[in-house]
Amino acid sequence: MIVFIEPFCGGSHQYVLKLLQQKYEDSHEFQTFSLPDRKWHWRMLVSAPVFAGMIPSNIFKDSTNKTQSLTEAREKNTIVLSAMINVAEFFGLRPDLNCGTLTLKRISYQTPLLSFLQ
């Protein structure tokens, strides 16, 4: 399961999100959590608590297979975070999504990631 978290879903951020979804839609199950593209400065300040409350606690439980290796599980369980979210605050509010307790890969991106995807 790949979870995309985007606090400002508009313009280039929305484009990156669509590119990532197109790239992985055949091989992975994915879910997107986003907020509209308004008041970017407020999105940066308050998006971590908003998303911490929005994401269900069992989001990765169904996709975890006990027979997988750690590398395989990390490839399947991924959180992709926009640079507009305070990553430390988000994972501080959601210790259940910490890499130590789950086989989870975390990716934080900024819009210039587009040059690597094309």
Side-chain angles (χ1 to χ4, degrees):
M1 158 90 58
I2 299 177
V3 175
F4 298 106
I5 300 176
E6 178 54 68
F8 192 81
C9 195
S12 60
H13 293 260
Q14 187 174 21
Y15 183 70
V16 168
L17 196 59
K18 286 182 182 178
L19 278 177
L20 290 170
Q21 287 175 343
Q22 288 172 358
K23 182 174 174 79
Y24 293 107
E25 69 184 348
D26 295 333
S27 60
H28 290 80
E29 178 184 352
F30 58 87
Q31 189 165 359
T32 303
F33 295 93
S34 63
L35 297 172
D37 60 338
R38 292 190 298 270
K39 303 188 185 219
W40 64 268
H41 48 284
W42 281 107
R43 297 287 188 241
M44 289 185 77
L45 288 172
V46 300
S47 62
V50 169
F51 286 114
M54 187 184 296
I55 297 173
S57 60
N58 63 348
I59 193 155
F60 291 111
K61 301 278 191 269
D62 299 334
S63 63
T64 305
N65 183 352
K66 300 293 184 197
T67 60
Q68 293 175 341
S69 70
L70 183 63
T71 306
E72 290 172 335
R74 281 209 173 151
E75 288 300 318
K76 292 192 175 194
N77 295 327
T78 304
I79 292 183
V80 180
L81 300 153
S82 169
M84 292 192 74
I85 188 169
N86 183 335
V87 177
E89 184 180 6
F90 175 75
F91 286 108
L93 291 168
R94 290 299 301 270
D96 59 314
L97 296 178
N98 190 351
C99 286
T101 57
L102 277 176
T103 50
L104 182 67
K105 180 169 53 173
R106 297 184 283 193
I107 300 170
S108 181
Y109 72 91
Q110 294 179 349
T111 307
L113 176 73
L114 285 174
S115 60
F116 296 109
L117 293 176
Q118 296 176 348

